[in-house]
Amino acid sequence: MPTESGSCATARQAKQKRKSHSLSIRRTNSSEQERTGLPREMLEGQDSKLPSSVRNTLLELFGQIEREFENLYIENLELRREIDTLNERLAAEGQTIDGAELSKGQLKTKASHSTSQLSQKLKTTYKASTSKIVSSFKTTTSRAICQLVKEYVGHRDGIWDVSVTRTQPVVLGTASADHTALLWSIETGKCLVKYAGHVGSVNSIKFHPSEQVALTASGDQTAHIWRFMVQLPTPQPITDTSQQMSGEDEVEFSDKDDADGDGEGSSDCPTIRVPLTSLKSHQGVVIAADWLVGGKQAVTASWDRTANLYDVETSELVHSLTGHDQELTHCCTHPTQRLVVTSSRDTTFRLWDFRDPSIHSVNVFQGHTDTVTSAVFTVGDNVVSGSDDRTVKVWDLKNMRSPIATIRTDSAINRINVCVGQRIIALPHDNRQVRLFDMSGVRLARLPRSNRQVTELLLFK
């Protein structure tokens, strides 16, 4: 009989040790599972040196993790059922087509293609679910308080844009799909002026930096400049009918039905029907418009894939900004410099520089994988962009190769807004959520959720 060498014996002993160690790990894991299966009340009753507030927060976070992974587990089971059903269907097709079996290569190609689609769906589901968990562990810089203070009821259709005047008196402006723009008293919620000069949806509203003049963009392929005069009513004491909520709380509340306030807020306010001037160079929907610094020029963005720069006094077209491959979704101007940023469905946004009157340059930012719904300027040399790819990115204009911060969310982003003074980014989502982040990507608050989609949000002091 052959005898084992010393090296073989040593290898066998090491293998047995690994086997016994793996068995002990399995027994430990099973005991851990039994321990974690204890009721929460027993865990809460155990002695701990952690403060009660910290312990309660941890229990709440672990509870959220358990719920998220439970939902993920259920979704995975559904996907497994779909895979089994697909395999059965492919096997049946292989037996019935032309009375002969499909070749192994054809069957493998079909199965591989279908499985890759399901795999991609599983990855998307996993990323969307785990993003909620990861965001819960980010350190918050403050505990924001969100409270419903005032409702402005008067439009007959959806509101696409919200803006506030830069001069006194400070009023709120809204642009709506009901073909009107309304100006409101912020304190009382009363409608002050109605603009009804457009024959299409009013998609945006922006106010002149130094005069009581408004700029509106419309689906009727025009942008209107119109003057208004407002006198603020005497504010009434605000009765607090809502309960304060922390930034991480979520409360459902219903919007008022159209029948309840169908035009009531705007029925008795003065109506303006004729603009000072109309900008008419686009061949498609004008989706947004804004004033350049100083207010002597205005820029518009359109679904005809161009942005136009106009002289306000003469209404003449100064520049036609071309280069986007698909429809434009938004435009924004820098508050102190002659810079314009345009966003598009072609997954890019572009920075146009008009600081040199003799020539204008353009830089293209490529960092998103889906429609860029908006891009706005912040303090200094930063731009924040939001996209249907469920991300928001902060860019440095001096280095456009990669973003300096990225916020990943679980839903597509609509028109974002930035509070420059507080350095807060407001994100309205397709899933009716509204979240507030700081410039480094830390979530500060989640506003009460509406029963309707949030398309635009305004932040101001």
Side-chain angles (χ1 to χ4, degrees):
M1 296 291 291
T3 59
E4 289 184 338
S5 64
S7 59
C8 293
T10 304
R12 175 172 296 182
Q13 291 176 358
K15 185 175 180 181
Q16 290 176 350
K17 287 183 179 179
R18 286 196 298 269
K19 185 176 181 181
S20 62
H21 181 61
S22 63
L23 290 175
S24 65
I25 291 176
R26 290 194 187 98
R27 287 195 294 271
T28 303
N29 289 340
S30 63
S31 62
E32 287 291 331
Q33 292 174 357
E34 293 173 359
R35 185 178 62 82
T36 54
L38 294 174
R40 179 171 175 173
E41 291 78 6
M42 294 182 64
L43 291 176
E44 292 177 346
Q46 294 177 357
D47 294 334
S48 175
K49 295 181 180 180
L50 292 175
S52 59
S53 59
V54 176
R55 195 174 187 195
N56 291 335
T57 303
L58 287 174
L59 289 173
E60 181 182 353
L61 290 175
F62 284 123
Q64 292 178 9
I65 292 174
E66 182 181 2
R67 288 191 295 271
E68 293 293 343
F69 277 103
E70 184 179 358
N71 293 335
L72 187 60
Y73 176 73
I74 294 174
E75 292 175 359
N76 288 345
L77 291 179
E78 293 295 331
L79 289 175
R80 287 182 181 277
R81 293 192 189 97
E82 292 182 13
I83 292 174
D84 293 339
T85 303
L86 180 62
N87 289 335
E88 293 175 0
R89 189 185 308 161
L90 290 174
E93 290 176 356
Q95 294 175 356
T96 57
I97 294 178
D98 293 335
E101 292 185 356
L102 286 173
S103 65
K104 293 183 179 179
Q106 292 173 328
L107 187 59
K108 184 176 180 181
T109 301
K110 278 192 173 185
S112 175
H113 177 68
S114 303
T115 306
S116 64
Q117 291 180 337
L118 291 174
S119 176
Q120 185 62 35
K121 183 178 179 181
L122 179 59
K123 290 179 180 178
T124 303
T125 304
Y126 172 77
K127 289 181 179 179
S129 301
T130 54
S131 64
K132 301 177 184 177
I133 302 171
V134 173
S135 63
S136 299
F137 286 95
K138 287 188 176 180
T139 304
T140 56
T141 57
S142 65
R143 191 72 169 178
I145 301 299
C146 303
Q147 180 182 2
L148 176 63
V149 176
K150 183 68 63 178
E151 287 184 310
Y152 304 88
V153 181
H155 282 295
R156 300 171 182 265
D157 208 333
I159 296 174
W160 297 126
D161 197 15
V162 184
S163 185
V164 66
T165 55
R166 309 185 201 180
T167 59
Q168 297 293 334
V170 178
V171 298
L172 187 70
T174 53
S176 172
D178 64 7
H179 300 189
T180 69
L182 299 181
L183 306 187
W184 308 82
S185 167
I186 296 176
E187 290 79 10
T188 65
K190 179 180 176 59
C191 179
L192 305 175
V193 173
K194 175 196 286 187
Y195 181 71
H198 286 290
V199 295
S201 170
V202 183
N203 299 320
S204 77
I205 179 170
K206 291 292 183 291
F207 293 101
H208 193 276
S210 60
E211 302 178 23
Q212 290 192 354
V213 176
L215 170 65
T216 50
S218 174
D220 60 13
Q221 303 185 5
T222 68
H224 288 181
I225 298 174
W226 44 279
R227 186 177 298 276
F228 60 90
M229 297 291 292
V230 295
Q231 183 175 0
L232 295 180
T234 303
Q236 300 294 326
I238 298 176
T239 57
D240 187 7
T241 58
S242 61
Q243 188 176 8
Q244 284 195 347
M245 299 160 290
S246 68
E248 297 301 325
D249 291 336
E250 178 182 351
V251 176
E252 299 279 353
F253 66 91
S254 299
D255 293 313
K256 292 186 178 180
D257 294 334
D258 291 341
D260 296 339
D262 194 5
E264 290 179 2
S266 59
S267 59
D268 57 347
C269 65
T271 301
I272 301 173
R273 300 185 183 277
V274 180
L276 293 176
T277 184
S278 180
L279 310 177
K280 299 180 178 180
S281 297
H282 284 293
Q283 303 301 315
V285 169
V286 182
I287 196 64
D290 203 355
W291 302 91
L292 262 71
V293 59
K296 294 183 179 181
Q297 291 180 324
V299 63
T300 57
S302 172
W303 285 2
D304 63 9
R305 305 183 182 185
T306 67
N308 289 340
L309 183 66
Y310 295 91
D311 182 278
V312 172
E313 184 177 356
T314 63
S315 302
E316 293 182 356
L317 178 63
V318 179
H319 290 293
S320 182
L321 311 179
T322 60
H324 282 292
D325 295 330
Q326 296 188 38
E327 295 92 335
L328 272 65
T329 57
H330 192 250
C331 67
C332 181
T333 60
H334 195 281
T336 60
Q337 303 182 61
R338 291 176 55 80
L339 298 173
V340 177
V341 62
T342 57
S343 53
S344 170
R345 292 184 61 188
D346 62 9
T347 74
T348 71
F349 66 94
R350 296 178 177 236
L351 175 67
W352 310 84
D353 190 345
F354 298 99
R355 288 174 291 188
D356 186 349
S358 60
I359 188 173
H360 69 271
S361 61
V362 58
N363 292 320
V364 182
F365 290 75
Q366 297 177 329
H368 291 285
T369 59
D370 206 335
T371 297
V372 181
T373 53
S374 62
V376 298
F377 289 99
T378 67
V379 293
D381 294 327
N382 291 340
V383 170
V384 181
S385 61
S387 171
D388 280 345
D389 65 8
R390 304 181 180 183
T391 66
V392 174
K393 301 190 177 186
V394 183
W395 305 79
D396 187 347
L397 297 182
K398 299 176 182 178
N399 181 15
M400 64 180 184
R401 293 183 179 179
S402 60
I404 59 178
T406 299
I407 302 171
R408 303 187 185 278
T409 69
D410 57 358
S411 179
I413 313 295
N414 293 314
R415 285 185 180 179
I416 60 179
N417 198 283
V418 175
C419 180
V420 176
Q422 300 292 334
R423 297 179 62 85
I424 297 176
I425 307 172
L427 308 182
H429 295 277
D430 266 356
N431 64 359
R432 301 179 287 118
Q433 293 276 7
V434 177
R435 296 184 175 97
L436 305 182
F437 289 81
D438 65 13
M439 297 296 293
S440 61
V442 176
R443 189 171 75 178
L444 303 177
R446 179 174 57 189
L447 272 63
R449 182 161 59 177
S450 170
N451 284 340
R452 297 180 183 177
Q453 183 179 351
V454 183
T455 57
E456 169 72 6
L457 194 65
L458 176 67
L459 286 177
F460 60 94
K461 283 189 176 181

